[in-house]
Amino acid sequence: MSLVTDAMRAAASETYEGDEICREKSKQLLTEMGLPNGLLPLKDIVEVGYVKETGFVWLIQKKKCEHRFEKIGKSVQYATEVTAYVEPNRITKLTGVKAKELLLWIMLKEIYVDVPPTGKITFKTPTGLFRTYPVDAFQLDKNDNKPAVASIQIKPALEVKEV
């Protein structure tokens, strides 16, 4: 059962269909709200909608997906429908997102970036448990859809000279 109704779609300030534009718009919205743009790395997005007056946003993808944030070594699972209310530096009433902790998948309910900026982002569960990580672990490189990583220079181990 979908949480997104036709009435919500009608009230939306913005709706988009198609994977490429939906990825772009979701990253743009996260950035505008002061959140890292790699927070919702969904695949095959069908629809994105945003109701500006209430901050309600939804993302619908073809099938659920799992993503591993390498910098923190954590896996996150995204349902076919992800909904939330967004406001500056905060996501509340989040649905459709679970993080793996040990052997359990734990539902996430709230995400916020510390203000003033400390470079930390906090994830809360419905029970009040939380984890804090560096914001840059969820920031995408500007050139593609991969998390930003430090550049690596490869130098030859030996230089061969002909005699």
Side-chain angles (χ1 to χ4, degrees), residues 113-127:
V113 174
D114 290 341
V115 177
T118 60
K120 301 290 182 184
I121 186 168
T122 302
F123 298 82
K124 289 179 81 174
T125 69
T127 61

Side-chain angles (χ1 to χ4, degrees), residues 2 6 20 22 30 52 55 63 70 75 97 108 119 127 134 136:
S2 177
D6 290 336
E20 190 174 329
C22 288
L30 289 168
K52 198 169 193 165
K63 61 182 180 176
E70 294 298 331
S75 292
V97 181
L108 298 177
T127 61
D136 67 350

Side-chain angles (χ1 to χ4, degrees), residues 87-107:
E87 57 189 71
N89 304 309
R90 182 176 300 273
I91 295 175
T92 59
K93 298 180 183 176
L94 180 64
T95 67
V97 181
K98 295 178 184 178
K100 192 168 191 177
E101 197 62 40
L102 295 174
L103 299 174
L104 301 173
W105 286 100
I106 299 172
M107 191 179 313

